[in-house]
Amino acid sequence: MVAAIQFTPALGMFLAFVAVTLVITWLSARKATGSAAYFAAGRSIKGWQNGLAVAGDYMSAASFLGISGMICFKGYDGFMYSVGFLVAYLTVLLLVAEPLRNAGKYTMADLLAYRLSPRPVRAMASLSTVMVAIIYMIAQMVGAGGIIKELIHVEFAPAVIGVGVLMLVYVVFGGMLATTWVQIIKAILLMGGAIALSWMVLGQHDFSLTKFFTAVSQADYAGTAPPKNLLEPGMHFGTAVNPWGPLDFISLALGLVLGTAGLPHILVRFYTVPDARTARTSVIWAIAIIGVFYILTTFFGFGAATLLEKNQILTAGGKENTNMVAPILAQQLGGEFFFAFISAVAFATILAVVAGLTMSASTSFAHDFYTNVIHHGTVKSEDEEVRVARIMAFVVGAVSIGIAIYLGPGVNAAFLVGLAFAVAASANLPVILFSVFWKRFNTAGAVAGLATGLGSSIILILLSPNGIFGKAGAIFPLQNPGILSIPLGFLGAYLGTVLTARDLEAEAKFAELSVRSQTGLGAEKAGSGH
Amino acid sequence: MAAPTNPPDWASIEQSADFKALLAAKRRFIIPATLFFLVYYMALPVMVGYFPALMKKPVWGAVNAAYVFALSQFLMTFVMAAMYVRRSRQWDRMESELLASLGFTSAH
């Protein structure tokens, strides 16, 4: 595996990004003392900063490279991912962000543990959090390996290890503050790249929306394919492609709109701001940034199908090379320098997302499992919790790198991302909502809901066309389990509660949780060491 | 003005008229708003999946109903977020008054 690394402009720009973020990490490491500083950046992040960081945490390589490629090949149906990824933030804004910030400390489990029996609830919630984070991260790592290989010609395994090691430097030394700044810088770069790319595409159509959409409605890949109307739905989810297509699309849509509010790396971001009102402001900023970005996928996604030739965006074997559509479009319209910039943005994107995921997984393990499950809520010092989190970051990083290399570049990354969203929607969201809004909810219900949601989504994915029996032998016909696993998660939490005895202590504490989550009375303050 | 008790008397705050009014005000907006955006969003895959002929009808030049419906989801999200922010100012006032009446200075 002697990788010949060519020094390209893309590599140069990527190294510049790494250098800047490492300086920030070094500065953060000097500032960060105590667990609130390490896990929650001292709760001192401003609203607009956190909004950018949420956007940077969320817009993965899958959404930049994957969606633009998918729109280029499948047209309208690819654009559906753009829509779902944004609308999901209404669930975050209306139902989750403020109560979570008001009543929690570092993790989603804090909210659940308030009035339920802490140890079983935290153990299950931590398992679900770490599962979602690792599944999502493997998807990112596998994607990263493939992309880096094509962009700067580094082999798959060294590329994955390189991304993993860099991410660990941010997380282990810089904690949440460094992770936040990596995400902010990445979000700015990504928006800059997306705006520039869209502008250039529109320029090719004389800056006329009429001309642009007319071209998209007869997209012919620069004359290399018969024209087709990419604005028409059905090229991916249509019944002509797959009889289960429309139902699969509904299932995916449910997973997206309800899963985002259960993604641990998004939820932990709301602990980094001083109070619930700032958490609200940060969701608004995130909605603005993410919304503009996904509207722009119209231009560089559909636009690519009007400007690039088919042979530019197919692999040597004639397969659709979805991940390379945006970089190749950048190369054609803006030359080598712009190609280098977009490639560097893609790296930055991957790094920011995996850092956020590692941060949330290690925080949950240290805070939920180590401190509260093993040590019953008391550790010798808060430095110990931070030390455990740092060790856990290494473990999570090593496990993800190992699995990503073992699975290799051939694994279906979309399958892993779909699974992460489905687990988040089916396991995490029902218990978060019931805990805040349903007085009767008890420990058995929480454990049952988490277990049913986690178990059903994993089992259904394994039985799906992406699963262990392949397309032909699939027992469950849909690729996305959400339509079944999300109701099962809610049902599990409901039945677990009503079929077991009322927990009067938990119901008595509902008053406290309700007042805390709705008013912020007694919420964790900014800048406190605890 | 009652002096703040430490820890606060959660049960009596929860039973207070001011807190109930705050909760009711939030529910009046959040429950219908959530139902609306979920139904509006889920209508997109349903319409596109089961009524493709209707959704392929052109609306403006080459742009068809499907794309306009998709784009309207962005607009719906922005409008809903703006409405939430507008309403939340009223909740913030109610919250500050409630905390002040209990003798707590608002956390904000």
Side-chain angles (χ1 to χ4, degrees):
Chain A
M1 215 176 308
V2 188
I5 297 176
Q6 294 166 274
F7 193 86
T8 56
L11 182 58
M13 285 210 199
F14 179 56
L15 291 177
F17 171 80
V18 169
V20 170
T21 48
L22 285 180
V23 169
I24 290 168
T25 305
W26 178 68
L27 292 172
S28 311
R30 291 200 315 174
K31 270 168 101 176
T33 54
S35 53
Y38 182 81
F39 293 125
R43 308 191 198 285
S44 56
I45 303 293
K46 292 185 173 65
W48 65 269
Q49 294 171 337
N50 196 42
L52 275 168
V54 169
D57 205 4
Y58 186 62
M59 296 189 289
S60 62
S63 50
F64 177 44
L65 302 178
I67 291 181
S68 49
M70 192 146 166
I71 297 175
C72 175
F73 289 111
K74 306 286 185 200
Y76 183 86
D77 287 9
F79 189 55
M80 290 300 94
Y81 283 91
S82 291
V83 175
F85 280 137
L86 176 73
V87 177
Y89 272 84
L90 286 176
T91 315
V92 177
L93 178 70
L94 268 60
L95 298 176
V96 174
E98 293 177 53
L100 186 84
R101 173 61 189 86
N102 271 335
K105 196 172 176 190
Y106 300 134
T107 64
M108 166 191 98
D110 288 339
L111 192 70
L112 311 178
Y114 238 108
R115 59 193 195 93
L116 307 177
S117 176
R119 293 182 69 210
V121 167
R122 279 192 193 270
M124 272 310 289
S126 184
L127 178 68
S128 163
T129 296
V130 174
M131 284 289 288
V132 173
I134 287 187
I135 294 168
Y136 209 118
M137 185 141 62
I138 293 166
Q140 295 290 322
M141 291 278 198
V142 169
I147 294 160
I148 291 172
K149 191 176 171 190
E150 296 196 62
L151 295 178
I152 52 169
H153 313 294
V154 176
E155 286 302 314
F156 183 79
V160 168
I161 293 170
V163 167
V165 168
L166 260 177
M167 165 271 282
L168 282 177
V169 171
Y170 299 137
V171 170
V172 170
F173 296 106
M176 197 55 163
L177 191 58
T179 303
T180 302
W181 279 104
V182 170
Q183 290 165 347
I184 291 174
I185 295 172
K186 165 267 177 100
I188 294 170
L189 289 175
L190 183 58
M191 284 307 286
I195 292 170
L197 199 50
S198 303
W199 185 254
M200 288 178 189
V201 167
L202 212 47
Q204 296 290 315
H205 296 281
D206 304 327
F207 296 102
S208 155
L209 285 176
T210 317
K211 279 190 185 169
F212 172 77
F213 281 111
T214 307
V216 172
S217 71
Q218 17 191 285
D220 60 359
Y221 301 90
T224 58
K228 58 179 176 179
N229 186 351
L230 283 182
L231 293 171
E232 289 193 345
M235 288 173 211
H236 185 69
F237 296 112
T239 42
V241 184
N242 169 4
W244 293 97
L247 204 59
D248 215 350
F249 183 13
I250 291 173
S251 192
L252 168 78
L254 264 180
L256 292 181
V257 77
L258 298 177
T260 304
L263 290 177
H265 63 301
I266 300 301
L267 297 180
V268 294
R269 289 237 48 94
F270 298 114
Y271 292 123
T272 65
V273 293
D275 52 36
R277 289 179 197 179
T278 321
R280 178 197 305 153
T281 315
S282 58
V283 187
I284 298 296
W285 273 92
I287 285 178
I289 296 159
I290 293 168
V292 169
F293 177 82
Y294 285 122
I295 289 176
L296 291 179
T297 59
T298 296
F299 299 108
F300 55 84
F302 288 116
T306 66
L307 300 170
L308 297 180
E309 293 177 10
K310 263 272 161 86
N311 61 13
Q312 288 177 281
I313 47 179
L314 296 178
T315 61
K319 280 179 149 178
E320 294 173 349
N321 195 358
T322 37
N323 278 334
M324 287 303 286
V325 166
I328 291 169
L329 184 64
Q331 190 170 32
Q332 172 143 332
L333 299 180
E336 278 312 310
F337 181 82
F338 194 53
F339 171 77
F341 177 72
I342 290 294
S343 306
V345 167
F347 292 123
T349 291
I350 293 161
L351 269 179
V353 175
V354 293
L357 287 163
T358 307
M359 197 65 218
S360 65
S362 57
T363 301
S364 173
F365 184 88
H367 180 64
D368 296 326
F369 202 77
Y370 182 81
T371 302
N372 286 297
V373 176
I374 299 179
H375 288 269
H376 297 258
T378 48
V379 284
K380 278 175 236 124
S381 69
E382 59 176 58
D383 291 340
E384 192 179 326
E385 204 174 47
V386 174
R387 195 167 59 245
V388 171
R390 287 184 161 133
I391 295 168
M392 245 338 257
F394 271 108
V395 176
V396 169
V399 167
S400 309
I401 291 170
I403 297 178
I405 291 175
Y406 171 75
L407 292 175
V411 74
N412 183 344
F415 146 80
L416 293 168
V417 170
L419 177 56
F421 269 90
V423 174
S426 318
N428 297 354
L429 189 69
V431 295
I432 292 176
L433 293 182
F434 280 169
S435 177
V436 180
F437 298 109
W438 188 26
K439 187 170 182 175
R440 169 79 167 83
F441 192 47
N442 65 17
T443 304
V447 173
L450 284 163
T452 323
L454 188 63
S456 64
S457 40
I458 290 177
I459 290 169
L460 287 175
I461 286 256
L462 289 177
L463 301 179
S464 79
N466 285 326
I468 41 179
F469 303 119
K471 235 178 198 154
I475 296 167
F476 182 66
L478 307 180
Q479 301 196 7
N480 297 285
I483 199 166
L484 208 56
S485 64
I486 296 170
L488 282 174
F490 277 100
L491 191 68
Y494 174 76
L495 289 180
T497 303
V498 296
L499 295 180
T500 52
R502 286 178 62 177
D503 181 347
L504 296 176
E505 204 180 325
E507 287 182 36
K509 283 198 92 177
F510 182 74
E512 175 178 345
L513 181 71
S514 188
V515 173
R516 278 179 183 269
S517 63
Q518 299 304 322
T519 67
L521 189 58
E524 296 282 331
K525 297 276 190 296
S528 72
H530 303 282
Chain B
M1 296 250 166
T5 52
N6 196 19
D9 184 353
W10 304 108
S12 76
I13 300 173
E14 197 220 9
Q15 291 304 315
S16 70
D18 282 354
F19 182 75
K20 284 185 173 164
L22 172 64
L23 216 54
K26 287 191 182 186
R27 286 202 173 131
R28 253 197 319 276
F29 176 78
I30 291 176
I31 292 173
T34 303
L35 289 176
F36 175 80
F37 88 75
L38 285 179
V39 169
Y40 191 79
Y41 172 63
M42 290 312 295
L44 180 68
V46 171
M47 292 303 290
V48 164
Y50 296 103
F51 303 93
L54 179 69
M55 299 308 280
K56 285 177 184 173
K57 286 216 163 87
V59 173
W60 174 74
V63 177
N64 56 22
Y67 185 79
V68 171
F69 195 13
L71 207 59
S72 79
Q73 300 281 341
F74 288 88
L75 189 69
M76 183 274 291
T77 305
F78 293 147
V79 170
M80 186 70 86
M83 283 169 69
Y84 179 87
V85 169
R86 252 177 75 104
R87 293 301 177 96
S88 66
R89 296 214 180 98
Q90 180 204 346
W91 308 332
D92 289 347
R93 267 197 306 280
M94 295 170 77
E95 177 194 304
S96 298
E97 283 165 18
L98 168 70
L99 294 182
S101 76
L102 294 165
F104 295 98
T105 48
S106 169
H108 310 286

